[in-house]
Amino acid sequence: MLCRMPSDLTGFIARLPKAELHVHHVGSASPRIVSELATRHPGVVPSDPDALAEFFAFRDFAHFIEVYLAVVDLIRTPEDVRLLTYEIAREMAEVQQVRYAELTVTPHTSVLTGIPIEAFTEAIEDARVAAERDLGIVLRWIYDIPGEFGVPAADATLGYALDHGPESLIGFGLGGPEVGVPRPQFESHFAAARAAGLRSLPHAGETTGPETVWDALRHLGAERIGHGTSSAQDPALLAHLAEHRIPLEVCPSSNIATRAVATLEEHPLRTFVEAGVVVTINSDDPPMFGTTLNREYQIAADLLDLDEGGLAEVARTAVRVSFAPDDVKSRVLEEIDAALAGA
Ligand SMILES: [Zn+2]
């Protein structure tokens, strides 16, 4: 039997066209992008690349929150939003070979910072159009409720989606901590978003048990689950997810960083696959968790013993369960086939 060296797959993964379905806007700010923002707004965050790399190095979850909030504080103007969005798209397109991404943005945070929702919407849309034109990457938006701010934030986010959302807004999400933030309190917000044609894409079961995933399904009408890690504890839930083909957006390195899972060896990805659950592989907040989408594909290959064909199927699954326009899906699927043929 051929024993394949991991490095064989690394090159293939780096070339493989991909769709990214679970990745956060501010959480994708790389040291390079933050350096530009810190130069604009001198203060706490260093702009020197070496100092920034040290600042970014993942230590623990508390430090991640510190980095995240420091970056939030650097996004003060619509031009900052535009720069962040365009540069994230550039790194996804050029380094990770992402052809299509559903990017989770949290407009409420920017509005609290003082950026009017009209200016925020214009800035992300300007970046989206420019990125598609310049880089060939197609972006769509998920507006998420920062759950820790409760129902008022949900009211505001629903308003931003329904009254100001651009046509490229495809989903309504729910992020932030799960402990102490019951999903059912947002039932009416998700119902209104779904009635307006948005897809229900909440986080659930990342740091709480499988009952939170059930809540997301029953109360929020979830069509995909962000993380859903604890679903592995509930065979009936796994069977339900498999039967209804509700995908889990799996982000392995994030799960380790947040301690949702103790070690990669204990990650339930294989359990999901063996139960017939549809999974996608994603990066969540990649620079802040010291990872990339390419690395997450490598981890998936290790956990599932995948070869090139298996990795291509992981990439195809993300395209198929995305809410990309049909022509984009067809094009990216063809590109994946071509990459596999050339492997
Ligand atoms: Zn997330």
Side-chain angles (χ1 to χ4, degrees):
M1 188 175 166
L2 182 70
C3 182
R4 186 178 290 284
M5 297 297 289
S7 57
D8 290 340
L9 286 180
T10 306
F12 176 71
I13 290 168
R15 293 191 303 276
L16 182 63
K18 302 174 195 76
E20 166 64 283
L21 305 185
H22 189 123
V23 65
H24 295 264
H25 192 217
V26 171
S28 296
S30 65
R32 181 183 69 84
I33 298 170
V34 174
S35 171
E36 282 199 47
L37 292 167
T39 304
R40 285 182 183 185
H41 307 296
V44 178
V45 180
S47 56
D48 171 69
D50 289 342
L52 251 183
E54 199 174 317
F55 179 64
F56 257 76
F58 184 83
R59 287 176 227 155
D60 53 34
F61 194 65
H63 180 68
F64 157 70
I65 296 292
E66 186 188 328
V67 173
Y68 190 91
L69 292 177
V71 177
V72 164
D73 185 53
L74 289 175
I75 302 160
R76 300 180 192 174
T77 69
E79 176 51 28
D80 296 336
V81 173
R82 197 205 66 77
L83 173 105
L84 171 68
T85 312
Y86 184 84
E87 294 302 324
I88 290 170
R90 181 207 297 280
E91 291 178 2
M92 283 198 284
E94 292 182 347
V95 188
Q96 313 302 322
Q97 299 302 322
V98 172
R99 303 291 195 265
Y100 171 79
E102 293 175 5
L103 187 58
T104 293
V105 299
T106 314
H108 191 59
T109 308
S110 288
V111 174
L112 286 179
T113 306
I115 301 174
I117 187 60
E118 294 84 356
F120 177 86
T121 310
E122 190 179 331
I124 60 170
E125 275 293 279
D126 186 46
R128 179 186 69 78
V129 170
E132 186 168 337
R133 179 194 64 217
D134 301 345
L135 307 162
I137 181 172
V138 176
L139 294 180
R140 292 293 182 266
W141 313 116
I142 300 165
Y143 282 7
D144 83 332
I145 302 167
E148 67 272 35
F149 293 100
V151 168
D155 293 342
T157 304
L158 183 65
Y160 305 145
L162 300 191
D163 302 336
H164 301 278
E167 277 203 15
S168 49
L169 173 65
I170 55 97
F172 199 66
L174 170 58
E178 289 178 49
V179 175
V181 186
R183 313 285 97 172
Q185 66 184 311
F186 305 114
E187 183 160 1
S188 66
H189 303 91
F190 275 79
R194 286 158 57 212
L198 297 178
R199 306 298 187 149
S200 173
L201 305 169
H203 289 60
E206 179 186 10
T207 54
T208 59
E211 68 282 356
T212 313
V213 179
W214 283 117
D215 280 347
L217 295 167
R218 289 174 176 149
H219 293 280
L220 309 183
E223 293 170 79
R224 290 195 315 249
I225 300 286
H227 297 288
T229 316
S230 61
S231 305
Q233 300 164 18
D234 184 343
L237 176 56
L238 290 176
H240 180 91
L241 294 169
E243 181 188 348
H244 296 278
R245 306 209 43 86
I246 295 168
L248 298 181
E249 302 158 0
V250 177
C251 314
S253 292
S254 165
N255 296 153
I256 303 303
T258 61
R259 299 196 183 151
V261 177
T263 65
L264 275 178
E265 292 68 34
E266 293 167 68
H267 196 283
L269 178 60
R270 183 180 279 276
T271 304
F272 298 151
V273 171
E274 288 177 353
V277 176
V278 177
V279 295
T280 62
I281 298 299
N282 314 271
S283 64
D284 209 9
D285 301 294
M288 297 189 186
F289 293 143
T291 192
T292 64
L293 185 58
N294 288 339
R295 172 149 174 71
E296 299 306 290
Y297 269 64
Q298 180 71 59
I299 291 168
D302 294 344
L303 290 174
L304 299 173
D305 297 319
L306 300 177
D307 59 8
E308 284 91 343
L311 282 161
E313 193 54 24
V314 169
R316 288 189 197 104
T317 298
V319 175
R320 289 183 185 127
V321 306
S322 77
F323 298 107
D326 286 343
D327 62 320
V328 174
K329 285 189 178 184
S330 304
R331 174 164 57 79
V332 183
L333 288 170
E334 279 172 23
E335 287 189 59
I336 292 169
D337 289 345
L340 184 60

